[in-house]
Amino acid sequence: MPPASPIGVLLVNVGSPSAPTPAAVRRYLREFLGDPDVVKLNRVLWWLLLNGIILPIRSPKSAKLYQSVWTEHGSPLIHNSRLQCGALQRELGERYAVALAMRYGEPSIDSGLAELEGRGARELLLVPMFPQYSGTTTGTVEKAVKAALLRRKSKLALSVLPPHYEDRGYIAALAERLRESTAGVAVDHYLFSFHGLPERYVRDGDPYRDQCVATMAALAAELGFTPERYTLVFQSRFGREPWLQPYAAEVAPALARKHRSVAVLCPGFTADCLETLEEIRESLGHDFKAAGGKVWTVAPCLNDHPSWIRALAQLVRRAAPAA
């Protein structure tokens, strides 16, 4: 007989436009880039820049990029996240109720909370799908969930899964994903790409870079890599101010001058999305080959890989309030 009150588990990722159209992308970017935890600039000045220049120019361009990765299932991030949610529910069993939400767009945080309340949960474990903590990801997700709980006058008791950037199961799943993707491929060099962040955020105390470096050290140890076998880079830079370096967009073509075959893994992304499928697989791969490289192998993200789902389930069981 299933328990009367399952432990609620809310998986939250960044989000995606509802459609690969300029209008849908504009709505999504307005919410995402309008978050003061993501873009930390004077709010009046940023509002003017965002609505007067950035959204009109960037929305059509981004829509074309989304069109290049859109599938019959819709947004890759939403589809992969739904697969994760379903797989985790099966792994955890009836003792838990697992729901999915996005920080921006749909499915919303409110809809995820409503689902868990409807399934009888009284305890809530928030699972930000970011192994490395940043105020721009986990931080804003926590704020949004707390605000939603307050607004809804919810009785769900909240706890939050801690960052798991060095968790053994997570590291082992990354290593397995990479080994599977490069089986039979003669790889000369490995590139490990994390999402970028403005340098001043780190100077102001954001622990993200240190946690990325810690993940990379643990992964290199798991794979038996010496430092000369791999390069850590940061991608998805936006704007003119300095971001965390080295930049993926600069390193990839430079590697082509020394290495014929490069394999790429994105350890900070738990689900494939625009940044991994278009930016890394397509755009960066094109730049690498245009500079003389021959073989560009990109490992899929963890998605619903069984090793990752087992590792995630273990993280949930350890952190669950009533475990």
Side-chain angles (χ1 to χ4, degrees):
M1 179 179 295
S5 180
I7 299 167
V9 179
L10 185 64
L11 308 183
V12 184
N13 213 313
V14 174
S16 170
S18 59
T21 63
V25 171
R26 183 169 184 148
R27 287 194 299 271
Y28 170 73
L29 290 178
R30 181 183 291 112
E31 184 181 8
F32 174 43
L33 297 177
D35 185 343
D37 287 320
V38 172
V39 180
K40 301 179 182 181
L41 294 173
N42 177 278
R43 302 320 298 167
V44 174
L45 175 60
W46 179 242
W47 187 93
L48 293 171
L49 288 172
L50 179 63
N51 290 280
I53 299 175
I54 294 172
L55 291 180
I57 294 175
R58 186 168 178 177
S59 297
K61 293 181 179 179
S62 293
K64 290 182 180 180
L65 298 180
Y66 276 105
Q67 290 166 14
S68 72
V69 300
W70 216 255
T71 73
E72 60 180 327
H73 303 291
S75 160
L77 175 62
I78 304 299
H79 177 60
N80 286 315
S81 296
R82 290 193 188 282
L83 292 177
Q84 288 176 334
C85 185
L88 182 62
Q89 180 67 78
R90 292 188 293 273
E91 183 71 23
L92 289 171
E94 295 177 329
R95 184 72 184 91
Y96 297 82
V98 185
L100 176 68
M102 296 289 144
R103 172 60 182 88
Y104 315 101
E106 299 292 336
S108 68
I109 287 172
D110 273 289
S111 70
L113 293 176
E115 178 182 340
L116 294 178
E117 290 166 344
R119 294 170 67 180
R122 297 180 182 176
E123 304 280 354
L124 170 64
L125 176 65
L126 170 61
V127 181
M129 296 298 282
F130 318 106
Q132 299 79 25
Y133 179 94
S134 172
T136 63
T137 52
T138 301
T140 188
V141 164
E142 287 186 34
K143 285 185 180 180
V145 169
K146 289 175 181 177
L149 289 170
L150 186 62
R151 183 174 61 250
R152 297 172 59 83
K153 299 181 180 179
S154 175
K155 295 182 180 179
L156 285 168
L158 175 66
S159 57
V160 182
L161 182 74
H164 48 278
Y165 55 95
E166 291 179 301
D167 176 73
R168 292 180 64 182
Y170 158 67
I171 296 298
L174 288 172
E176 184 173 353
R177 201 53 148 159
L178 183 62
R179 292 190 186 104
E180 290 175 352
S181 302
T182 56
V185 180
V187 179
D188 300 326
H189 197 77
Y190 293 86
L191 195 64
F192 296 96
S193 185
F194 293 82
H195 200 288
L197 194 70
E199 287 182 351
R200 65 184 166 91
Y201 292 16
V202 174
R203 290 197 301 271
D204 290 343
D206 196 301
Y208 177 71
R209 187 184 192 283
D210 287 344
Q211 293 187 6
C212 291
V213 171
T215 295
M216 192 61 255
L219 183 55
E222 177 75 18
L223 293 164
F225 284 0
T226 52
E228 64 272 10
R229 291 215 66 194
Y230 66 89
T231 302
L232 183 155
V233 295
F234 295 93
Q235 65 181 86
S236 309
R237 181 187 178 193
F238 173 72
R240 296 182 178 180
E241 70 173 306
W243 280 42
L244 296 178
Q245 298 184 45
Y247 299 135
E250 296 177 356
V251 170
L255 286 175
R257 293 193 286 270
K258 298 186 292 184
H259 302 292
R260 178 181 181 276
S261 174
V262 169
V264 190
L265 180 70
C266 300
F269 295 84
T270 54
D272 273 308
C273 56
L274 181 71
E275 287 81 1
T276 63
L277 297 172
E278 195 288 322
E279 182 182 1
I280 295 296
R281 187 182 300 275
E282 299 301 328
S283 294
L284 220 57
H286 174 272
D287 293 347
F288 173 76
K289 292 179 179 179
K294 299 300 181 182
V295 181
W296 180 257
T297 304
V298 180
C301 289
L302 293 171
N303 296 327
D304 62 338
H305 191 285
S307 294
W308 165 233
I309 297 302
R310 288 193 295 270
L312 184 57
Q314 284 296 98
L315 287 166
V316 168
R317 291 188 184 105
R318 288 199 296 265

